[in-house]
Amino acid sequence: RRYVKYNKETINTPKKKKVMDGLYISEKLLKIIKSRTESIKDTLAHGAIKDFDSFKELRAKLNELAYIEQELKSLLEGVKEDD
């Protein structure tokens, strides 16, 4: 068995603080997504891409990052509207 030690602040964290922590994490994730997107775009524009398969892989990553970014933004809109 594993026992986890909790302090009173962890157990009695108000809902508002949890939402704020979630917003902080979400904003950080958006920054990471934007940074990675820019890096891939730079590679596509100026980098040495080995072959067409590598190009398709980078385009697929861009599409996935765009999808994740949009989903995260829509989730954030829902949280901000609830406040």
Side-chain angles (χ1 to χ4, degrees), residues 2-56:
R2 231 173 166 190
Y3 293 97
V4 179
K5 185 177 178 182
Y6 293 101
N7 60 24
K8 291 179 183 177
E9 292 175 11
T10 305
I11 294 172
N12 297 321
T13 304
K15 185 177 180 182
K16 184 105 174 157
K17 183 171 178 4
K18 289 180 183 178
V19 170
M20 292 305 293
D21 289 344
L23 288 175
Y24 174 77
I25 291 169
S26 299
E27 294 296 329
K28 284 293 195 181
L29 283 173
L30 281 173
K31 286 182 182 179
I32 292 168
I33 290 169
K34 287 179 183 178
S35 172
R36 183 68 180 136
T37 299
E38 288 303 313
S39 174
I40 292 173
K41 285 181 180 179
D42 286 345
T43 300
L44 286 171
H46 307 290
I49 300 173
K50 290 187 259 181
D51 53 15
F52 190 66
D53 288 334
S54 297
F55 174 79
K56 290 192 310 186

Side-chain angles (χ1 to χ4, degrees), residues 71-82:
E71 288 295 315
L72 190 55
K73 284 180 178 180
S74 65
L75 286 172
L76 282 174
E77 287 298 317
V79 170
K80 289 178 182 177
E81 288 174 5
D82 289 346

